[in-house]
């Protein structure tokens, strides 16, 4: 078995000017003798890739090369414009300026662009390896680096580049405002190059952050499921209540929730108006703008929620003839999990992995029946179900979900407006359920 991490040793640098070899692409998950070695090799490979991706040395090389290209982009038009506008200018001065500009391009800009191209090529390869190694194991105990963002924010380089882009745009607008001055217009190529470099960095770290967040969501989902499995097992072994008692969770009306969220803002506003009445008009304008955002955004969320409900109801209606007469149908959306390109697992796991599909669900006698609009069918014996978890959605226009935990270690999440009715039907059938 090959672990593809240079046999467990850190790759050595053969030359100062030669980059450290990247880890080889991972093999199939079953090519490791056990899961612990797979997790160890995964953590090692991800650590090497992330360290290089965020290397300060590579960032310095990028900044130096980008600075050289930007300098040349500013000097070349400035030299030509200066030679053309000078009082003693002639065709010879312009020709000399053009030759010097060509020399600068050949001696400085072209080598810098070649280095930047090599850095970009290696970055693309490194990002592909990051995605491959991250998908080797996404279990609840599989660690993932948090270097690309913490507490919901991307890496600092994302914001530094955004600041540079904003400054370049402001200066470009100022240069365009002084179009009568050719020397000022000569700055435009320099500002365009700065903006392009800043935009490329923003796109790079934005993509890294989005990918890292998805990976963390997958692992958080696995940890959440493991937590509820443990809770259901402990409840089953230490309690004698029926399964239905685990549904007794406190439900907060949305109006109370909104009131709790906006009450601090209202209190602060009132105190501010009392303390500084001379600034009340400005605060009123800001409040009206905020209210406008809420008024515009709320109907959009309502429309999206209605569209989601209409799509699910249409799926359940079209699938009604497939179920037996008298079956209580619930519209569901399944396939909510991130695809991991792994084929391991039973047939049930395919219902949990994306892409998202619509269907209908019914709880029968000893069996959970699911049918999809794409023709897929699942007859899941309730004896194979360890428990179910009801939890609300964190998105305003999405309905709550029911996570069905299987004894095989797999799970299927169903999103439905009837999520609570589904959990009640499962509880009546003897399945332990809990509320998140």
């Amino acid at each position: 078995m090959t672990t593809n991490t240079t046999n467990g040793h850190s790759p050595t640098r053969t030359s100062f000017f030669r980059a450290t070899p990247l880890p080889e692409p991972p093999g199939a998950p079953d090519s490791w003798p056990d899961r612990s070695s797979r997790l160890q090799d995964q953590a090692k490979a991800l650590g090497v890739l992330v360290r290089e991706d965020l290397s300060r040395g590579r960032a310095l090389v990028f900044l130096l090369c980008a600075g050289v290209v930007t300098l040349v982009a500013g000097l070349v038009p400035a030299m030509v414009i200066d030679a053309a506008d000078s009082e003693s200018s002639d065709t010879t001065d312009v020709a000399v300026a053009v030759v010097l500009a060509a020399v600068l391009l050949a001696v400085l800009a072209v080598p810098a662009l070649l280095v930047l191209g090599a850095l970009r090529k290696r970055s693309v390869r490194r990002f592909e390896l990051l995605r491959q190694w991250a998908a080797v194991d996404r279990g609840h105990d599989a660690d993932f680096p948090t270097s690309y963002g913490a507490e919901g924010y991307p890496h600092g380089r994302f914001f530094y580049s955004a600041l540079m882009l904003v400054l370049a745009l402001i200066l470009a607008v100022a240069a365009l405002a002084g179009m009568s001055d050719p020397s000022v217009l000569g700055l435009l190529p320099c500002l365009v190059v700065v903006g392009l470099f800043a935009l490329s960095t923003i796109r790079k770290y934005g993509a890294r952050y989005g990918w890292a967040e998805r990976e963390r969501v997958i692992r958080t989902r696995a940890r959440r499921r493991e937590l509820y499995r443990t809770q259901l097992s402990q409840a089953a072994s230490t309690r004698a209540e029926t399964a239905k008692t685990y549904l007794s969770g406190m439900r907060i009306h949305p109006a109370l929730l909104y009131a709790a969220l906006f009450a601090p803002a209202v209190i602060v506003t009132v105190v501010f108006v009392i303390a500084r009445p001379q600034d009340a008009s400005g605060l009123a304008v800001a409040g009206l703008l905020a209210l406008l955002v809420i008024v515009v955004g709320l109907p959009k969320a309502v429309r999206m929620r209605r569209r989601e409900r209409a799509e699910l109801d249409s799926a359940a209606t079209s699938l009604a003839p497939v179920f037996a007469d008298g079956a209580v149908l619930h519209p569901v959306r399944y396939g909510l999990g991130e695809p991991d390109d792994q084929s391991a697992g039973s047939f049930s796991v395919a219902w949990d992995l994306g892409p998202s599909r619509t269907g209908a669900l019914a709880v029968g006698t000893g069996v959970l029946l699911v049918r999809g609009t794409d023709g897929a069918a699942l007859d899941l014996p309730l004896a194979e179900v360890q428990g179910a978890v009801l939890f609300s959605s964190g998105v305003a226009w999405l309905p709550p979900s029911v996570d069905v935990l299987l004894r095989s270690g797999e799970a299927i999440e169903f999103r439905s407006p009837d999520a609570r009715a589904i959990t009640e039907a499962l509880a009546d059938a003897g399945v332990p359920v809990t509320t998140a």
Side-chain angles (χ1 to χ4, degrees):
M1 192 279 298
T2 304
T3 60
N4 303 314
T5 54
T6 63
N7 296 325
H9 298 286
S10 301
T12 57
R13 188 187 298 273
T14 57
S15 170
F16 179 79
F17 298 99
R18 181 173 297 178
T20 303
L22 294 173
E24 293 294 327
D30 56 1
S31 61
W32 277 267
D34 51 58
R35 188 166 182 268
S36 61
S37 61
R38 181 169 70 243
L39 290 176
Q40 182 180 3
D41 288 343
Q42 181 189 40
K44 186 185 301 182
L46 288 176
V48 171
L49 293 168
V50 171
R51 279 196 301 272
E52 179 174 311
D53 208 50
L54 298 176
S55 169
R56 290 188 177 89
R58 291 183 180 277
L60 180 60
V61 172
F62 173 81
L63 289 176
L64 289 176
C65 294
V68 169
V69 175
T70 303
L71 180 64
V72 173
L75 285 177
V76 167
M79 292 169 55
V80 175
I81 292 174
D82 183 67
D85 290 346
S86 62
E87 296 179 356
S88 60
S89 64
D90 53 22
T91 56
T92 303
D93 293 338
V94 175
V96 171
V98 171
V99 170
L100 288 177
V103 171
L104 286 176
L105 288 173
V107 175
L108 296 178
V110 172
L113 287 173
L114 291 176
V115 174
L116 290 173
L119 289 176
R120 175 175 174 78
K121 182 178 179 181
R122 186 174 175 90
S123 177
V124 171
R125 173 61 176 163
R126 189 166 56 243
F127 190 33
E128 180 63 25
L129 288 172
L130 275 168
R131 289 185 291 187
Q132 293 177 6
W133 274 103
V136 166
D137 195 302
R138 287 165 161 167
H140 68 279
D141 54 349
D143 294 329
F144 186 77
T146 59
S147 306
Y148 290 112
E151 298 181 358
Y153 300 99
H155 193 272
R157 296 178 187 179
F158 177 91
F159 297 103
Y160 301 150
S161 303
L163 178 61
M164 290 299 299
L165 180 60
V166 171
L167 291 176
L169 289 175
I170 294 174
L171 293 176
V173 172
L176 289 174
M179 294 183 63
S180 59
D181 188 355
S183 61
V184 175
L185 287 177
L187 293 175
L188 280 179
C190 177
L191 296 175
V192 169
V193 172
V194 171
L196 291 176
F197 280 128
L199 183 61
S200 67
T201 307
I202 290 173
R203 293 180 61 184
K204 173 183 175 179
Y205 287 101
R208 298 289 201 274
Y209 174 71
W211 163 75
E213 278 300 299
R214 287 193 298 272
E215 289 292 335
R216 282 193 281 270
V217 166
I218 294 171
R219 286 158 173 77
T220 301
R221 194 165 182 250
R223 284 192 288 269
R224 182 198 72 199
R225 286 174 166 175
E226 187 66 19
L227 172 64
Y228 285 117
R229 286 184 187 278
T230 303
Q231 290 181 355
L232 289 169
S233 299
Q234 292 175 350
S237 60
T238 60
R239 295 187 181 181
E241 296 99 339
T242 62
K244 203 168 186 176
T245 57
Y246 302 130
L247 273 177
S248 56
M250 184 178 63
R251 302 179 66 184
I252 302 177
H253 194 277
L256 295 177
L257 181 61
Y258 291 140
L261 290 175
F262 288 106
V266 173
I267 294 174
V268 171
T269 302
V270 172
V271 172
F272 185 87
V273 170
I274 294 175
R276 300 181 62 88
Q278 66 274 17
D279 296 332
S281 59
L283 187 64
V285 172
L288 289 175
L289 291 176
L291 182 62
L292 178 63
V293 172
I294 296 175
V295 170
V296 172
L298 187 59
K300 182 178 180 181
V302 172
R303 287 195 303 270
M304 294 182 71
R305 190 179 185 96
R306 288 180 177 177
R307 190 182 306 120
E308 174 78 6
R309 180 61 189 258
E311 185 177 354
L312 290 173
D313 289 342
S314 175
T317 302
S318 64
L319 292 170
V322 180
F323 291 86
D325 294 338
V328 180
L329 300 187
H330 304 284
V332 295
R333 184 178 292 278
Y334 59 94
L336 306 178
E338 183 81 8
D340 57 4
D341 299 326
Q342 305 295 339
S343 58
S346 67
F347 172 73
S348 301
V349 76
W351 289 76
D352 193 51
L353 300 180
S356 175
R357 287 96 75 195
T358 56
L361 178 148
V363 180
T365 305
V367 63
L368 179 67
L369 305 173
V370 190
R371 300 292 183 266
T373 53
D374 57 354
L378 175 65
D379 296 347
L380 182 63
L382 294 181
E384 298 180 7
V385 178
Q386 180 184 0
V389 183
L390 170 68
F391 56 94
S392 60
S393 172
V395 182
W397 56 85
L398 294 179
S401 297
V402 179
D403 211 8
V404 179
L405 308 179
L406 308 183
R407 299 189 186 278
S408 61
E410 300 163 353
I412 310 174
E413 182 178 345
F414 297 103
R415 182 182 297 152
S416 173
D418 300 342
R420 192 165 190 86
I422 293 174
T423 52
E424 289 175 350
L426 289 172
D428 290 338
V431 176
V433 295
T434 186
T435 305

